[in-house]
Amino acid sequence: MAEATVPNSVEAITQDNGIGNASTDTYNEFIKERFEVELEFVQCLANPWYINIIAQQGYFDKPEFINYLKYLKYWKRPEYARFIVYPHALAFLDLLQSKEFREDMKKIDEATRVHELQYHHWRWPNHDIDGADEADSFDAAKPSSTASTAG
């Protein structure tokens, strides 16, 4: 499977999307729409229930979709991350790079557990999660089969 990459030129973007000889206005509209769609999708990843739904619908079984998730990691760069309203979206984008996490999120019990941990973090951001300190809270949010066993 080819590695996902962020297009680095106007030509690459326009040729890949059939607007090779388009005007500057058309290109700018295309880029704006692409930005908005990708931003909205990445932010939806902050919702464990959304991740559970797309997992159950089989998207995580499609190599093209996994490649798309890899491609979306560019949102972690500061020039893009500043537009993210829900920072958990970026944490879940990282977790979704793991096949184990994608498989776990197909299970309603794991999605419920992740949602409860996320709620706990929002409600009490400076408190321990099941005895874990703040440095371990990212591991605690992982479904049990992908959580670190080091303590």
Side-chain angles (χ1 to χ4, degrees):
M1 167 176 20
E3 196 64 31
T5 59
V6 177
N8 58 2
S9 71
V10 171
E11 294 80 22
I13 293 170
T14 57
Q15 288 175 356
D16 288 348
N17 293 287
I19 58 172
N21 294 323
S23 69
T24 302
D25 289 342
T26 303
Y27 172 75
N28 289 338
E29 289 173 27
F30 167 75
I31 292 300
K32 181 180 182 226
E33 182 178 339
R34 180 177 175 170
F35 176 85
E36 291 171 351
V37 167
E38 290 178 0
L39 174 61
E40 183 174 350
F41 176 74
V42 169
Q43 294 201 113
C44 285
L45 297 178
N47 183 340
W49 300 121
Y50 179 74
I51 295 172
N52 174 254
I53 289 169
I54 61 176
Q56 289 182 354
Q57 291 178 350
Y59 283 94
F60 296 155
D61 299 325
K62 299 177 181 179
E64 304 84 14
F65 192 77
I66 303 309
N67 233 7
Y68 184 60
L69 292 173
K70 289 177 187 175
Y71 157 78
L72 290 174
K73 290 186 344 184
Y74 78 87
W75 282 97
K76 295 183 67 176
R77 297 192 326 227
E79 64 268 28
Y80 293 99
R82 68 188 180 107
F83 296 101
I84 300 289
V85 176
Y86 309 108
H88 279 187
L90 297 177
F92 284 126
L93 182 59
D94 276 343
L95 290 170
L96 285 167
Q97 304 305 313
S98 161
K99 182 175 176 129
E100 286 179 285
F101 181 77
R102 293 190 304 265
E103 288 297 316
D104 285 341
M105 289 305 287
K106 291 179 181 179
K107 304 170 198 154
I108 194 71
D109 291 342
E110 288 297 333
T112 300
R113 189 176 90 72
V114 170
H115 178 265
E116 288 170 354
L117 289 167
Q118 182 182 48
Y119 174 76
H120 180 88
H121 178 74
W122 283 337
R123 177 79 187 204
W124 301 284
N126 296 319
H127 288 82
D128 291 348
I129 298 176
D130 296 332
D133 62 26
E134 284 219 24
D136 294 333
S137 64
F138 186 73
D139 269 351
K142 295 179 185 177
S144 56
S145 68
T146 59
S148 172
T149 56

